[in-house]
Amino acid sequence: MASNASESAVPAIAHPTPGDSFGVAANIVYHSQFSSRFSPFKFEVEQAFYATAASVKDALVQRWNETYKHFHEEDPKQVYYLSMEFLQGRALTNAIGNLGLSDAYAAALTKLGHDLENVREQEKDAALGNGGLGRLASCFLDSMATLDLPAWGYGLRYKYGLFKQIISSKGQEEYAEDWLEKSSPWEIVRHDVTYPVRFFGEVQVDSDGRRKWIGGEVMQALAYDIPIPGYNTKNTISLRIWEARVPAEDFDLYAFNAGKHEEAVQLQLKADQICSVLYPGDSTEDGKLLRLKQQYMLCSASLQDIFSRFKERRGAISWDEFPNKVAVQLNDTHPTLAIPELMRILMDDEGLGWDQAWNITSSTIAYTNHTVLPEALEKWSQVVMAKLLPRHMEIIAEIDKRFQVLVARTRPELESKLEALQVLDNSNPEKKLVRMAHLCVVSAHSVNGVAELHSEILKKELFSDFYSLWPEKFNNKTNGVTPRRWLRFCSPELSAIITKWLRTDKWVTNLDLLSGLREFAENKQLQEEWNAAKLANKVRFADYLLKVVGVEVNPQTLFDIQIKRIHEYKRQLLNILSVIYRYKTIKEMSPEERANTVPRTVMFGGKAFATYAQAKRIVKLVTDVGAVVNNDPNVSPHLKVVFIPNYNVTVAELAIPASELSQHISTAGMEASGTSNMKFALNGSLIIGTLDGANIEIREEIGEDNFFLFGARADDVPRLRKEREQGKFVPDPRFEEVKDFIRSKAFGDFDYEPLLEALEGDTGYGRGDYFLVGQDFPGYLDAQDKVDETYKNRAKWMKMSILSTAGSGKFSSDRTISQYANEIWQVGQCRVP
Ligand code: BZD
């Protein structure tokens, strides 16, 4: 491995142990001299970070080698988590925390004249994902390592991850974020792990009828490994991310020497594009092709890697053994090409027949759905697919054909619906499509949703006919979050209190133990300590806001936070409209009345997809409202509105522990699960929310008295939309008042009309208040009044906050992953002794 050389050069100091801060310091110094990219004569904070990370990496690499050696020897069934996204965030705090070396590193850095707090600030936030789905994948890696599962994560090594969001007077602006600018200190480039990946070309049939995909462009996938340490275990697994490149022998030196410089580097340019940007916009034909190339790069390289590991096994290979040794989980439909690719390898390369290949493929592959929004369900043009992946298109067509035969044979009554169920959507001859979700449901042995309500909607609505065909495939795996990053490390103060009152720190790996806090929820002493820890987190976050946004917020105010991707269904608009109503109300109050209000700081954070115009208007509205409210001397002591720029994992780690109220207010039925709701509840933040996604289960666990509920229920949404269309909806006068206020230019002359119109009829911008903002507005205001009233009673609020944490045990990703392992993957523990 890459760092073996440095390990063998300094054996005495390469493996720090807890309490050995001298050894750690020596190791950091060693790296600052020999493996850092800065002058050895300087030891500034950035250099201290890179040297520290290199030193931590030594410990990780050693454990990581032992782990995979152990897996190889034990030869258990292994699970492969395929995801186009991983939102890893920073790794240092998590790594030294999981290794049990936080104190040793803090002490060592102090000896070297640095402060761990400042050193960790130097790390870039690795954002190879968009939002919840990507962060879930990263939480899952942490849990798989901690639970000693023989597992791998597979992804892509995007050069530019999620864009950097800058808020200017124009609203959101996007800039490329180069997380690799100074290279990542965690990854290990694996020049020994490369695979060819083909695009385009044609299908050849040889004399015995065997099909072979040949020609086209062949690139190389090169592996980079990022070690993922488990907590309290030696097990350290790998996130393997692929980079596309062109091997030297494919460089056209003749063309280059003949002066055709551009022609000579064409293939390299194409390879660079594949891993250049996370989820490039797909509104153009080129963009679509690139996204499909990315998806195939991930699937092809990962499967070749899985095959090579399978073939390395001791003893003879029987292909029917494959599903007993390999489980592949698809994180949404983005890696669906793994299905035809697995079929292709088994049939064309290994010579198996269709039926055997099909049985192996479907017993190996499982699919997780993360959305029911029609516009988010992937559909690929058959023309593009056939051009880029001609053999895969053939296999997909064959899967579709056999599916039709199966339905005709076993369920003739479904015949009339068959067209809508098929994998191939041929309804528009001009635009024939492949429905990737249908391909997954037809092919995989398991289809799961990510919260109970969501899984029910999959069975009863989105995939109801498939459910009637294969009820046994469908299951629920309610999401979870890692308690290490999302409580133990992001809020050390609160963690220490929990450990003290539970008299154990075992809750870090057994989150159900948090329920032991219930008996102390009314204890004055605990409440005081709890309050002090929350206040410390609020002060820390207020300092951050002052530094980054330049807004001074008072830590004594109620910290009310909504952070998530900006989307109409998540209804940041509902939140800001109610803030505007609050602003108007406070403005009209007498000073005495004002003094009686609960002062609040309402914070928003999140990125809008670059081409999502409505979402960008919402960002602009929030910042414009903030500018007016925060500068109104009569109102600003009682209300502040802050847009936190460039929301990412690092910002979440600061904001969530500081939050007292958090908003999870999606239109019921539209948020598959949500995972930040779990993080907030875990950190003792009370939730105002709808009966949607995992909110429902959180409310059940923490108790309905501890949840500020409002809004329409999922079952009622279709009827309410219909009534809205029929003009039966009578808006609350306060709703009209707020819209008029925006129209009066109270927040400037930006054109908000498209946002406001979308809340009325069907105007072209909206679908007639499709997200039911007007419908839920009065109930939401009532719930907010209840929040204020409750906040005035500090003891009650503290009790509710403690009960939120106490009820969050279920939402550990350790629980989620155990369920995946037992119920879908049939993968057991394999712990390094
Ligand atoms: O997945 C999210 C859902 O919206 C959340 O409700 C859920 O909690 C999480 C985890 O299950 N979905 C996404 O984050 N989806 C994407 O980011 C995405 C990315 C590319 C293309 C389509 C969707």
Side-chain angles (χ1 to χ4, degrees):
M1 300 305 141
S3 67
N4 276 354
S6 60
E7 280 179 17
S8 55
V10 279
I13 54 174
H15 316 306
T17 50
D20 177 19
S21 62
F22 280 103
V24 170
N27 193 255
I28 295 173
V29 170
Y30 169 81
H31 280 290
S32 76
Q33 301 289 308
F34 295 109
S35 59
S36 200
R37 60 222 84 190
F38 302 97
S39 157
F41 306 110
K42 272 202 221 148
F43 191 59
E44 280 161 10
V45 64
E46 192 181 25
Q47 188 182 18
F49 163 70
Y50 280 98
T52 303
S55 142
V56 175
K57 191 168 96 177
D58 283 354
L60 296 182
V61 167
Q62 191 209 7
R63 286 168 164 80
W64 177 73
N65 284 333
E66 280 180 45
T67 304
Y68 284 110
K69 183 165 162 273
H70 185 65
F71 292 169
H72 186 77
E73 286 162 2
E74 296 290 311
D75 193 25
K77 182 172 182 182
Q78 306 205 30
V79 59
Y80 301 94
Y81 196 81
L82 266 59
S83 178
M84 288 284 283
E85 307 192 8
F86 288 90
L87 259 182
Q88 290 287 95
R90 289 176 175 162
L92 179 61
T93 303
N94 192 70
I96 57 179
N98 278 9
L99 293 172
L101 293 173
S102 305
D103 293 342
Y105 270 92
L109 283 166
T110 307
K111 285 196 206 341
L112 299 172
H114 283 289
D115 173 22
L116 178 58
E117 284 297 314
N118 298 332
V119 167
R120 65 169 132 235
E121 291 297 304
Q122 298 300 310
E123 184 171 358
K124 291 243 185 191
D125 179 294
L128 306 183
N130 280 294
L133 168 156
R135 184 51 230 175
L136 184 76
S138 294
C139 282
F140 280 4
L141 291 179
D142 185 84
S143 285
M144 290 191 287
T146 299
L147 292 170
D148 300 316
L149 293 184
W152 296 74
Y154 280 112
L156 285 188
R157 185 175 183 266
Y158 306 102
K159 177 167 163 46
Y160 301 116
L162 187 56
F163 63 86
K164 185 194 298 178
Q165 178 195 53
I166 301 232
I167 303 295
S168 73
S169 58
K170 285 184 254 158
Q172 167 182 301
E173 293 182 37
E174 305 89 34
Y175 293 91
E177 177 83 279
D178 190 357
W179 72 292
L180 294 170
E181 186 189 353
K182 293 181 182 167
S183 83
S184 160
W186 306 110
E187 44 175 35
I188 301 147
V189 54
R190 298 296 307 269
H191 292 287
D192 53 334
V193 184
T194 61
Y195 299 100
V197 177
R198 187 185 307 276
F199 298 107
F200 306 106
E202 64 206 358
V203 180
Q204 199 184 53
V205 190
D206 62 18
S207 51
D208 58 1
R210 198 147 147 184
R211 303 181 88 77
K212 205 171 167 59
W213 181 27
I214 55 161
E217 273 170 15
V218 179
M219 291 178 189
Q220 195 181 57
L222 168 67
Y224 287 74
D225 282 324
I226 300 178
I228 310 289
Y231 180 88
N232 232 341
T233 170
K234 266 194 178 172
N235 281 47
T236 299
I237 61 171
S238 196
L239 167 56
R240 179 160 281 184
I241 51 179
W242 301 105
E243 183 186 74
R245 55 173 219 166
V246 178
E249 63 263 28
D250 288 346
F251 181 75
D252 194 345
L253 198 57
Y254 283 101
F256 194 85
N257 287 339
K260 297 178 186 161
H261 300 155
E262 286 194 7
E263 191 186 309
V265 296
Q266 271 315 303
L267 197 59
Q268 184 60 51
L269 279 181
K270 286 183 187 166
D272 288 348
Q273 279 170 10
I274 292 183
C275 289
S276 62
V277 184
L278 163 80
Y279 195 7
D282 60 1
S283 52
T284 64
E285 212 44 36
D286 273 1
K288 282 219 167 77
L289 191 70
L290 185 55
R291 169 94 169 147
L292 196 59
K293 277 184 164 180
Q294 292 185 325
Q295 296 188 344
Y296 183 62
M297 167 75 49
L298 168 65
C299 296
S300 169
S302 307
L303 278 174
Q304 290 182 69
D305 203 34
I306 293 168
F307 266 87
S308 93
R309 199 162 302 115
F310 178 71
K311 287 182 170 178
E312 260 179 24
R313 291 172 48 233
R314 292 162 293 158
I317 293 168
S318 145
W319 286 111
D320 292 326
E321 273 284 289
F322 194 82
N324 299 331
K325 291 293 172 189
V326 175
V328 172
Q329 188 69 41
L330 306 183
N331 196 22
D332 214 290
T333 54
H334 318 149
T336 302
L337 289 169
I339 293 166
E341 176 70 352
L342 184 49
M343 289 294 288
R344 187 192 68 79
I345 298 175
L346 290 170
M347 294 191 300
D348 301 359
D349 295 350
E350 305 297 343
L352 272 54
W354 180 278
D355 291 335
Q356 196 187 3
W358 179 250
N359 286 337
I360 293 170
T361 300
S362 49
S363 324
T364 302
I365 300 226
Y367 156 61
T368 304
N369 172 285
H370 296 266
T371 185
V372 296
L373 300 194
E375 61 269 32
L377 294 173
E378 282 191 303
K379 293 186 190 83
W380 286 104
S381 148
Q382 292 179 28
V383 173
V384 172
M385 184 82 80
K387 194 166 118 195
L388 186 70
L389 303 166
R391 180 63 181 127
H392 299 78
M393 191 59 232
E394 281 185 358
I395 293 171
I396 293 169
E398 182 66 23
I399 292 175
D400 188 50
K401 202 177 99 196
R402 287 170 184 252
F403 171 66
Q404 292 179 62
V405 171
L406 177 93
V407 173
R409 209 185 60 222
T410 59
R411 295 288 303 279
E413 76 279 11
L414 284 180
E415 203 82 68
S416 62
K417 296 185 178 169
L418 193 54
E419 244 183 55
L421 290 179
Q422 273 180 247
V423 174
L424 299 186
D425 174 357
N426 297 328
S427 56
N428 179 353
E430 306 288 300
K431 216 180 146 205
K432 295 185 174 183
L433 301 168
V434 183
R435 300 179 177 119
M436 301 307 263
H438 291 199
L439 180 54
C440 285
V441 176
V442 169
S443 311
H445 68 92
S446 165
V447 176
N448 76 281
V450 290
E452 276 164 18
L453 173 70
H454 170 61
S455 296
E456 283 306 306
I457 292 175
L458 294 187
K459 291 197 287 191
K460 295 204 182 111
E461 292 168 38
L462 192 62
F463 299 138
S464 59
D465 292 317
F466 292 112
Y467 175 61
S468 77
L469 272 162
W470 300 297
E472 70 285 355
K473 284 191 186 188
F474 286 79
N475 64 91
N476 174 55
K477 296 286 167 282
T478 297
N479 283 164
V481 302
T482 167
R484 271 72 67 186
R485 185 178 293 265
W486 297 113
L487 180 54
R488 176 62 192 84
F489 304 141
C490 73
S491 187
E493 302 83 353
L494 206 61
S495 295
I497 293 166
I498 293 170
T499 298
K500 176 181 146 191
W501 284 78
L502 294 180
R503 296 164 179 270
T504 173
D505 65 358
K506 292 219 159 58
W507 59 269
V508 179
T509 47
N510 181 1
L511 205 62
D512 286 330
L513 292 178
L514 289 181
S515 63
L517 290 171
R518 283 201 183 109
E519 62 173 295
F520 310 118
E522 285 177 290
N523 183 298
K524 282 275 151 297
Q525 177 66 25
L526 173 60
Q527 290 196 353
E528 258 169 46
E529 292 174 18
W530 198 264
N531 192 33
K534 291 294 294 186
L535 185 62
N537 292 340
K538 289 168 77 179
V539 169
R540 191 161 49 126
F541 192 48
D543 290 346
Y544 173 84
L545 291 175
L546 184 60
K547 202 171 80 195
V548 172
V549 197
V551 180
E552 203 171 324
V553 307
N554 177 356
Q556 300 297 340
T557 60
L558 191 169
F559 274 22
D560 165 348
I561 304 188
Q562 186 177 20
I563 40 180
K564 48 186 84 237
R565 289 299 294 243
I566 310 291
H567 207 294
E568 286 164 284
Y569 85 80
K570 295 181 189 278
R571 298 200 296 189
Q572 284 92 354
L573 190 54
L574 176 61
N575 184 353
I576 193 67
L577 293 181
S578 96
V579 168
I580 294 171
Y581 182 73
R582 180 179 288 264
Y583 170 65
K584 278 195 84 217
T585 312
I586 297 176
K587 216 173 154 54
E588 286 157 13
M589 282 176 176
S590 68
E592 296 71 41
E593 283 171 323
R594 276 182 202 145
N596 247 329
T597 58
V598 172
R600 269 206 209 202
T601 304
V602 186
M603 295 168 253
F604 295 76
K607 294 178 182 178
F609 193 74
T611 54
Y612 189 175
Q614 287 291 59
K616 289 179 118 174
R617 290 185 187 105
I618 295 172
V619 173
K620 175 75 177 134
L621 179 58
V622 171
T623 55
D624 283 352
V625 170
V628 171
V629 172
N630 301 347
N631 290 307
D632 185 324
N634 293 325
V635 178
S636 63
H638 312 282
L639 178 64
K640 280 219 166 125
V641 180
V642 183
F643 191 89
I644 311 157
N646 203 36
Y647 174 58
N648 59 16
V649 172
T650 304
V651 173
E653 285 167 2
L654 274 172
I656 292 170
S659 150
E660 293 170 291
L661 180 74
S662 74
Q663 307 222 16
H664 307 276
I665 57 177
S666 50
T667 315
M670 300 194 80
E671 186 71 270
S673 161
T675 41
S676 76
N677 43 6
M678 302 170 183
K679 296 167 195 167
F680 280 105
L682 183 60
N683 279 274
S685 172
L686 303 190
I687 290 177
I688 180 165
T690 46
L691 282 180
D692 199 16
N695 284 357
I696 298 172
E697 290 156 75
I698 295 174
R699 181 165 167 267
E700 260 165 37
E701 293 293 313
I702 68 179
E704 52 190 60
D705 294 344
N706 303 310
F707 190 106
F708 299 102
L709 181 71
F710 75 97
R713 289 159 191 259
D715 288 345
D716 295 327
V717 165
R719 178 182 52 82
L720 291 167
R721 281 189 182 136
K722 191 162 252 142
E723 288 175 7
R724 189 78 180 71
E725 261 168 46
Q726 295 165 339
K728 288 189 192 158
F729 171 69
V730 185
D732 189 285
R734 295 170 294 182
F735 186 58
E736 299 301 289
E737 198 186 309
V738 169
K739 285 187 290 175
D740 290 344
F741 195 49
I742 299 172
R743 287 194 168 110
S744 77
K745 310 274 178 214
F747 305 105
D749 53 14
F750 183 83
D751 181 16
Y752 288 116
E753 208 45 45
L755 269 187
L756 300 171
E757 268 181 43
L759 299 173
E760 336 257 2
D762 208 338
T763 56
Y765 283 110
R767 294 176 265 184
D769 196 12
Y770 186 75
F771 303 98
L772 300 180
V773 176
Q775 171 70 39
D776 280 349
F777 191 72
Y780 179 62
L781 291 187
D782 292 347
Q784 289 287 14
D785 286 345
K786 216 163 153 198
V787 168
D788 288 328
E789 190 192 299
T790 311
Y791 197 75
K792 286 181 182 161
N793 181 344
R794 293 304 294 158
K796 183 167 179 203
W797 189 277
M798 278 303 127
K799 176 181 164 197
M800 291 168 77
S801 170
I802 294 166
L803 289 175
S804 286
T805 303
S808 293
K810 172 175 172 186
F811 305 103
S812 166
S813 47
D814 298 344
R815 185 267 313 149
T816 315
I817 283 297
S818 301
Q819 291 178 331
Y820 274 93
N822 297 330
E823 296 162 20
I824 301 179
W825 305 333
Q826 262 80 53
V827 165
Q829 288 185 330
C830 188
R831 187 177 170 92
V832 178

